[in-house]
Structures are given as structure tokens and as C-alpha cells.
Amino acid sequence: MSEYLVVVDAVAPVAQGEPAVTAAGLAQALVGAKHKVTLLSLAASDHVAQLPGMARRLRTVAATARGAALDLPLFEGRSGQAHLYVLGTAMEDRGYAGAVLASAAASLARDGLVKPDVIIGWGEASAASLSTVGASTRLFVLPTGVAGKALNAREWEALGPEALDPLGVRSLAALGAAGAEAVVVPSPSSVRTLEGEPALSGRASDQPLVAARFGCDEPPFDPANDPALPTGFSADAPAGKADCRRALARRTSLALGPRTLLLATGPLDAERGGQAVVNALGRLAKLDVAIVVAAGGDRALTDQANVLAIEHPGKVAVLGGGTPGGDRLLLAGADAYLSTDERDQTGRATGLALRYGTLPIALDRGASSDFLVDHDASSATGSALLVTLTEPFELEGAARRALALKADADRWQDLVRALMRSAPRWSTTVAHLEALVASQARPAVAAG
């Protein structure tokens, strides 16, 4: 058993968003692998104080940012089974967050509250922390698979004079790489992209840039026990997915026959192929396909989808927001999930679709190309339907392929089970990280 410290600017349950949720998923899986895990994060004091299970400690934590000494309140609780410390301060900007996390982590280490064998910096705000806490292994993770923009002068100054910038790029990614034995990203396509990233060009020639696929099975993403679903289901007992399909159809007023393909999309984002989805909706609605568009996308694109919903009643619907667990009911009830994000480096959306037994229809590039295999009907193998373009005729062709698969009810049920079993798991991610730690471990050096 090793002791891990995971430093992240935001983590569930204090915050939501993909980096926050995935950090909590990793920590939970590390605990499941019999490691001791502490998470260090930050959030506004007023927000943390209102959360159940978070207690304010009597002590405070010394930190530094922009040359000023800070005395921050410290909240303590749990993220799953992992121990959680939250510093009570709002994240003014990326430089401030990085400075506070780094100096506070050093304070907690000096006071003996954390004694990590391994420190994982999760996200760029953790970059400076890697060099302030003694640990035998330091891993720097870019959970989105990309490097962020350079800091402006004020943000960089917040880190203090000890923050080295040998490349002159004011990059947290460069700072994190300099303080770590290895850089971890979520996909091989991300590795290929970052190998040409100027901010990482100064890292040591023997420093590995490693892909470790992230899991998708952290709470609440468990179809067998998800409270947002009318009936739970699993790969061994998939019948409850039909109840979820009916519930989603009732909620969205869609007309479904036994062979209708219920197709879900994520929120319509112009930078993630949302316009391509809108362009294809009218064509898809002419097939035996019903489409549910997730709430929360770009207003202009969502308005276009709402117009199409009026033009095609019972065939197209935009899922209303505001209901807890609505995104999970969408995945659980849908037969297929359409992903058109050309820049996806994580595979998170399609991984969650697999978790709920929903067939991904995705672009054959980025993380989708790395992790998904195009389905072959003759051998009944493959975990997705991959398309080369997001043109309407390509998406229509994929929908027709999905309809053909769904026409054979027995083979479709076999496919649903196979999809669920192929969903990525955090235990596999942890196994990869444990192997990386074993290969990179060195004697711990006390932080100065």
C-alpha cells in the first residue's frame, strides 16, 4: 500500500465538471486498490460550509500568492472513500490557484497532515505543487488531454519568483512537466498532439508522455444502482434498459415503435460539431429514428433544434434541463449516442455511453479512433459505429446501420451486453498508474 496525494483545483462532490468528477473517480479507484488517498482542492468558503459532510477544522493553513501571506480556512470531509481537504478560497485565476495549492500543500506536508509516497498533480493548477511536497514519485496529469493557454503576466507573478520559466512561455503545463517524472494524458491521440506542444518541448528526453485511458464507472454512473433511473440494469441483467427507454420517451413525448432507434446527442456545442448534428436532424427524422438532444448547449443551436422539434413532432425533442440525473436517463434510455467532437482527446462521452449499454456513433478520429472499434455485423464484434465525416449523409448511413442491428432483437441484446462490458473502468486506469509509479519511483527528497 502506498500513500497518494492528489492535488486538483476542483473535485467532486465540492464541484462538478469533468476534471472534478474524474479526479474523484481516480481517487476512489486508488482506495479500492488498497492505497491511502488524500485529495487537496480549493473552493469558496461559503460554498464548502453549506455542503453536508464537510467540517471546518479549528486550524488554518498558511499559503502564499502574489507575494502575500494568506491564512486560509481548512475544510475536511470525504470524496467517496478518499480523504478530502478543501482550502477555503475562491479561485481568482489560474496563477492564484496554482500558488495557493502549492504553498498550502507544502504547509500540510510540514505539519505532517500529508506524507505521500506519490503525488499526482491533476490539471494545470496543480503544476507548482509537484515541486513543493516530498514524494518518491510525481505524476503530472492533463485530464483534458490538451495544454492550456499561457498565463498572462499577472497570473504568472502570482506563482512567485521560485516558479521557473526556462522556455519563456509562462505555461503551467511546462511547469508541471518540469516537476514530474512522467506526464499522463487520457489517450494516445493526446500523446501525439502534445509531442509537438511548445510548452512541453523542454521536458527531459527520457521523461515519458503516457496515455492511460480514464474510467467511466465512478458514482453516480452505475446503471445497476443509479437513483436517476426508473429501473436498474447491468450486463448480466439488461432488461431494465427497456424501462429507461420508455421513461425517456414519455418525458420527451417521442413516438417509439419496437424497432425505432432512439438516438441521443450531447449538448449542441459549435466547437464540438454541434452544427453538424443540427444539419443532420431533418434527414434522420425521415427514418425510423427518434432523436433526443441534451440540454445545455449553445443557445443558437439549441433554438434550431427546437424549431426542428416543432416541425417533426414525436421525432425530435430537446431534453429540458434542471432535473438531477437527466443526463444519465438520456444515456440509459437511448439506443445509440451521437458524438461529433473532432477535438475529443478523452473519450469520456462515448465511454459513458458504453457504460449504459448505448451504441456510440462517433467520428473515426481522436480518442474515438483510439478506443472504439467499428462494429462488424458478420462477426458481431466492435463497440461503435465510426464515421469519417459529419456530413448528413454519413450520419444517415450510420443510423441505417444501427437500425439494421436493432432489427434483430436477440443480436441487439447481445450487443448491449457487450457494450456494457467494454466500458472503461478506473481499476484499469489505476493498474496502469501503479505500473508507471513502479517504473519511475526514486528515493523521496524533502521539499525545500
Side-chain angles (χ1 to χ4, degrees):
M1 182 184 78
S2 299
E3 182 170 344
Y4 281 73
L5 172 64
V6 181
V7 181
V8 59
D9 61 343
V11 66
V14 177
Q16 296 303 311
E18 190 168 304
V21 171
T22 53
L26 172 72
Q28 182 73 3
L30 284 168
V31 172
K34 309 303 181 184
H35 298 294
K36 180 180 179 181
V37 183
T38 300
L39 286 151
L40 175 63
S41 186
L42 52 82
S45 293
D46 291 346
H47 172 63
V48 186
Q50 296 174 4
L51 296 176
M54 295 300 299
R56 182 167 179 167
R57 291 187 61 136
L58 296 177
R59 61 158 292 161
T60 58
V61 178
T64 305
R66 295 196 173 93
L70 305 172
D71 202 28
L72 300 177
L74 180 65
F75 295 86
E76 188 173 11
R78 312 290 294 184
S79 176
Q81 297 302 310
H83 199 88
L84 173 61
Y85 287 127
V86 179
L87 305 167
T89 181
M91 190 176 80
E92 296 180 8
D93 55 51
R94 291 180 295 159
Y96 175 84
V100 167
L101 285 170
S103 54
S107 295
L108 293 175
R110 284 194 301 270
D111 293 346
L113 291 181
V114 293
K115 300 177 181 178
D117 304 301
V118 182
I119 178 171
I120 297 178
W122 192 266
E124 292 191 341
S126 69
S129 303
L130 294 168
S131 57
T132 63
V133 177
S136 59
T137 308
R138 299 176 173 90
L139 304 180
F140 180 51
V141 182
L142 291 170
T144 62
V146 297
K149 296 179 180 179
L151 302 186
N152 60 37
R154 184 172 185 273
E155 290 174 322
W156 188 260
E157 288 170 0
L159 294 170
E162 63 276 9
L164 301 179
D165 187 21
L167 301 177
V169 292
R170 292 178 182 164
S171 168
L172 288 173
L175 186 62
E181 279 77 57
V183 179
V184 181
V185 295
S187 68
S189 63
S190 180
V191 170
R192 293 189 292 272
T193 298
L194 289 170
E195 282 176 340
E197 171 63 45
L200 299 182
S201 63
R203 76 182 202 279
S205 60
D206 61 346
Q207 183 184 51
L209 183 57
V210 180
R213 189 182 189 185
F214 294 170
C216 291
D217 57 330
E218 77 279 358
F221 298 106
D222 179 4
N225 301 289
D226 192 330
L229 307 186
T231 307
F233 59 94
S234 66
D236 295 325
K241 187 170 173 65
D243 291 338
C244 297
R245 185 174 186 268
R246 286 189 287 268
L248 181 60
R250 287 194 299 269
R251 180 171 170 182
T252 53
S253 300
L254 292 174
L256 301 183
R259 296 187 177 182
T260 302
L261 181 73
L262 182 49
L263 177 65
T265 82
L268 299 176
D269 187 327
E271 295 184 354
R272 291 177 169 81
Q275 187 64 62
V277 175
V278 171
N279 293 343
L281 289 181
R283 197 158 181 161
L284 294 174
K286 295 177 182 179
L287 306 175
D288 190 12
V289 176
I291 307 105
V292 184
V293 177
D298 293 348
R299 178 64 179 272
L301 292 177
T302 303
D303 287 346
Q304 292 179 52
N306 276 314
V307 170
L308 287 165
I310 295 171
E311 295 174 350
H312 302 277
K315 298 286 287 182
V316 179
V318 177
L319 188 66
T323 302
D327 56 336
R328 305 193 310 274
L329 176 61
L330 178 72
L331 289 173
D335 300 311
Y337 179 85
L338 179 58
S339 174
T340 56
D341 185 359
E342 296 188 9
R343 301 185 301 177
D344 176 28
Q345 301 287 357
T346 68
R348 173 77 175 175
T350 53
L352 288 171
L354 294 172
R355 177 76 169 142
Y356 284 83
T358 302
L359 178 67
I361 298 175
L363 276 174
D364 191 10
R365 64 194 69 170
S368 294
S369 181
D370 293 332
F371 299 132
L372 302 177
V373 177
D374 192 56
H375 188 270
D376 178 67
S378 62
S379 61
T381 57
S383 56
L385 301 180
L386 299 179
V387 298
T388 57
L389 300 171
T390 55
E391 296 296 330
F393 73 90
E394 283 267 3
L395 300 184
E396 179 186 354
R400 289 183 182 277
R401 289 179 64 194
L403 282 167
L405 290 171
K406 190 167 173 57
D408 186 329
D410 291 336
R411 294 190 71 177
W412 181 259
Q413 284 301 308
D414 290 341
L415 175 60
V416 169
R417 294 187 183 94
L419 294 175
M420 297 182 73
R421 292 189 176 111
S422 70
R425 297 188 175 275
W426 281 110
S427 58
T428 303
T429 311
V430 165
H432 289 163
L433 293 183
E434 287 175 326
L436 181 60
V437 167
S439 69
Q440 298 296 319
R442 57 180 174 74
V445 178

